[in-house]
Amino acid sequence: MSDQTTLSPNDSREPQGDGTRIAAKKLFIKTYGCQMNVYDSARMTDVLAPLGYRPTETPDDADMVILNTCHIREKASEKVFSDLGRIRPLKTERLAAGKTMVIAVAGCVAQAEGAAIIARAPFVDIVLGPQTYHRLPELVARASRATPGSRGVLDTEFPAEPKFDYLPAPRAQGPTAFLSVQEGCDKFCTFCVVPYTRGAEYSRPAADVLREARGLIDGGVREITLLGQNVNAYHGDAPMDSCASKGTWGLGRLVRALAEIPDLARIRYTTSHPRDMDEELMAAHRDVPQLMPYLHLPVQSGSDRILAAMNRGHDRDHYRRIIDTLRTYQPDLVLSSDFIVGFPGERDADFKATLALIEDIGFIQAYTFKYSARPGTPAAAMADQVPEHTKEERLAAMMSLMMTKTRAFNASCVGRTMDVLFTGPGRHAGQLVGRSPYLQPVNVFADAGQIGKVVPVVITRTDSNSLHADLRADSSRTEIS
Ligand code: SAH
Ligand code: SF4
Ligand code: F3S
């Protein structure tokens, strides 16, 4: 989970359309929550471009503000309303100056709370769920026709038409890109709102995914991260021309097909679920060199009792066996995970079992969360809720353990040669920043012409979050382009 991301205003697209001049307008999007929301925000920008909207960095002078929200934990949800409180006076100021500001709440809070948002914040013009943002132009038109005092426009349907069919092809914005291939969740973990906010599992047809990937790669993308709430539950329709594989493709098959596209140097996928880690996907880690040796595979807890109460559908041993198989296929694999502390009924022994699993598997990274009771989920009604101070203590203990693991892994990289994909300029003059195979940021003094290339470097030192490296003396010859 990323915390909050604001879309880069670095967008030089011209308005498309039928040749009529469209006045440029400023669009501010704030993104909360997971990478799916980051992808969705980029697509909302695409869909609004023909109306003349250009991304801007602050809401102050924006003609339209979209909050692309996350419902996963209480804090994330509440943040939306405090941000709306800050945006409201900006809208009032603009109206007083004879201008307008369209305020839209999109994403998972919008899906979960719908009209309640307009009731609580009547100055909101549009509330739209994650499945309807292809309809944004129409919603903006409806909102702009609204008369003073009328209520905001609401669209939180799960429409029959998949939104992907109605969205313009995304453009490359640098050497890395997200590509949504799967959405929704049928797993119903007892703590989680995602099955309610994102709906049932849906997979895009493989041909659409391959087409989008080719477009991105033609635009200079070298690393694609396939996205889905349960990305490895992917089961998209096989391409029509693929006589060998009628029916559907799993994620392993899709990864193999992507790896055949020349110039795609790296493939990743997130977030996957242990239950959907099938043999074909595991074997892809052995057979597909472009598949990076870094896997985020959330386990949530190391206690079988808690895993059962969470309805995760697997126990600790099952998880361990998946990792063992993956490591026989790809010995270099490193793992990260999500953990929830303080799930209802979690005792000290359960928490200790989770810490033991962290040691046992050797995770190098983790996102750790205090359990947050979410309205309408079964766990919220469970007896034996864990007191806040216990959650705090467990979170602090887990975070400090994980910090030592991350640091130890980073330190173990010093002296190694590894391939880095340069993604952009670094913080200091003459420096570039790139990504290691394990998603570590790597700082290297190198020529800007290397951006977008995968280059072997020697790691020289680490600081708290990133690595520093030197180009290898022979890197210009060994560069993989
Ligand atoms: N589909 C993914 C996770 C999606 S949600 C999976 O099953 O692993 C991302 C993470 O948010 C989860 O892995 C979980 O650790 C955390 N999370 C979800 N609901 C939560 C809740 N009610 N309280 C605290 N953390 C939660
Ligand atoms: Fe939520 Fe569980 Fe689905 Fe992941 S698998 S999105 S945690 S219900
Ligand atoms: Fe949040 Fe929705 Fe993603 S609840 S984590 S934005 S799927």
Side-chain angles (χ1 to χ4, degrees):
M1 288 304 102
S2 61
D3 281 307
Q4 283 170 7
T5 329
T6 308
L7 259 198
S8 153
N10 227 341
D11 187 331
S12 56
R13 246 168 320 168
E14 287 308 310
Q16 300 145 11
D18 56 5
T20 42
R21 271 181 80 86
I22 303 166
K25 288 174 245 167
K26 290 183 178 167
L27 168 67
F28 175 77
I29 303 191
K30 181 163 179 177
T31 308
Y32 312 71
C34 62
Q35 288 99 331
M36 304 281 302
N37 262 15
V38 175
Y39 178 88
D40 289 351
S41 290
R43 307 311 306 276
M44 285 193 263
T45 310
D46 291 342
V47 114
L48 289 170
L51 304 192
Y53 285 100
R54 291 283 166 284
T56 185
E57 222 165 312
T58 68
D60 305 282
D61 58 349
D63 298 279
M64 178 160 184
V65 171
I66 302 178
L67 302 184
N68 194 13
T69 62
C70 173
H71 197 55
I72 202 87
R73 286 169 288 276
E74 189 182 358
K75 255 200 192 141
S77 281
E78 280 306 311
K79 183 100 185 48
V80 175
F81 289 99
S82 61
D83 283 346
L84 280 173
R86 272 194 292 276
I87 290 163
R88 179 185 198 166
L90 301 177
K91 177 168 178 166
T92 312
E93 268 171 43
R94 280 182 70 86
L95 291 178
K99 300 176 187 162
T100 56
M101 179 189 271
V102 179
I103 300 179
V105 178
C108 292
V109 175
Q111 190 65 46
E113 306 214 348
I117 295 175
I118 297 169
R120 189 165 159 187
F123 51 95
V124 168
D125 302 286
I126 300 171
V127 173
L128 76 159
Q131 305 310 335
T132 54
Y133 60 76
H134 57 298
R135 296 179 181 166
L136 252 175
E138 178 198 329
L139 296 172
V140 172
R142 274 168 57 196
S144 60
R145 283 197 300 269
T147 47
S150 64
R151 306 213 105 195
V153 182
L154 179 73
D155 191 349
T156 51
E157 256 190 70
F158 286 106
E161 81 277 6
K163 62 180 177 236
F164 297 106
D165 294 355
Y166 293 83
L167 292 167
R171 296 153 320 110
Q173 287 184 302
T176 63
F178 288 137
L179 200 173
S180 259
V181 301
Q182 183 278 341
E183 276 203 275
C185 180
D186 300 338
K187 305 275 189 304
F188 291 93
C189 300
T190 52
F191 53 82
C192 185
V193 293
V194 171
Y196 313 98
T197 62
R198 292 274 174 168
E201 287 178 1
Y202 166 78
S203 299
R204 294 176 70 187
D208 287 7
V209 174
L210 293 170
R211 190 179 320 114
E212 189 167 321
R214 281 192 205 100
L216 291 167
I217 295 160
D218 287 347
V221 167
R222 311 298 316 284
E223 174 178 311
I224 289 182
T225 303
L226 304 174
L227 294 182
Q229 263 92 28
N230 284 291
V231 68
N232 56 339
Y234 179 81
H235 54 275
D237 290 343
M240 297 291 246
D241 56 0
S242 135
C243 42
S245 37
K246 284 206 198 70
T248 60
W249 279 7
L251 193 66
R253 182 70 190 81
L254 185 68
V255 164
R256 283 167 201 268
L258 284 164
E260 283 166 22
I261 305 178
D263 292 336
L264 180 59
R266 294 175 159 192
I267 303 169
R268 305 178 187 275
Y269 59 91
T270 198
T271 296
S272 39
H273 193 290
R275 264 159 68 185
D276 296 315
M277 198 45 87
D278 64 16
E279 176 59 27
E280 190 178 28
L281 180 57
M282 291 197 284
H285 282 272
R286 175 191 60 203
D287 303 334
V288 179
Q290 294 93 328
L291 192 54
M292 288 292 96
Y294 176 89
L295 178 64
H296 182 68
L297 189 61
V299 62
Q300 316 296 353
S301 170
S303 154
D304 285 347
R305 210 172 62 80
I306 297 298
L307 285 170
M310 287 176 163
N311 190 33
R312 288 293 287 179
H314 64 84
D315 59 13
R316 182 198 149 98
D317 275 356
H318 181 101
Y319 188 86
R320 174 79 242 189
R321 282 197 300 277
I322 292 169
I323 303 303
D324 289 346
T325 308
L326 281 165
R327 281 189 170 138
T328 54
Y329 289 158
Q330 170 51 283
D332 194 28
L333 189 74
V334 303
L335 290 139
S336 68
S337 197
D338 290 347
F339 295 97
I340 294 178
V341 297
F343 184 82
E346 186 188 66
R347 303 191 192 119
D348 270 341
D350 300 305
F351 178 61
K352 290 209 174 90
T354 306
L355 298 182
L357 185 69
I358 292 175
E359 296 288 356
D360 183 29
I361 302 287
F363 294 107
I364 62 125
Q365 256 294 350
Y367 296 93
T368 50
F369 306 106
K370 279 188 292 180
Y371 168 70
S372 169
R374 305 305 291 130
T377 59
M382 285 179 187
D384 216 1
Q385 298 283 326
V386 172
E388 190 59 24
H389 66 90
T390 309
K391 289 186 197 170
E392 295 276 3
E393 281 164 22
R394 290 178 185 164
L395 182 73
M398 187 176 283
M399 285 177 76
S400 105
L401 174 64
M402 282 317 306
M403 203 179 290
T404 62
K405 298 285 168 205
T406 305
R407 290 209 171 128
F409 179 69
N410 286 347
S412 76
C413 294
V414 174
R416 277 180 69 178
T417 296
M418 52 176 83
D419 286 341
V420 166
L421 168 61
F422 286 116
T423 50
R427 229 179 292 147
H428 302 291
Q431 211 178 42
L432 299 184
V433 67
R435 281 180 179 182
S436 79
Y438 316 108
L439 267 187
Q440 298 142 299
V442 186
N443 304 294
V444 186
F445 284 97
D447 185 84
Q450 305 273 38
I451 294 172
K453 295 190 171 144
V454 179
V455 177
V457 300
V458 182
I459 308 301
T460 52
R461 66 186 172 90
T462 75
D463 56 29
S464 51
N465 297 314
S466 59
L467 304 178
H468 295 261
D470 289 336
L471 288 176
R472 249 178 36 176
D474 60 348
S475 64
S476 56
R477 277 184 290 112
T478 51
E479 170 187 299
I480 308 154
S481 55

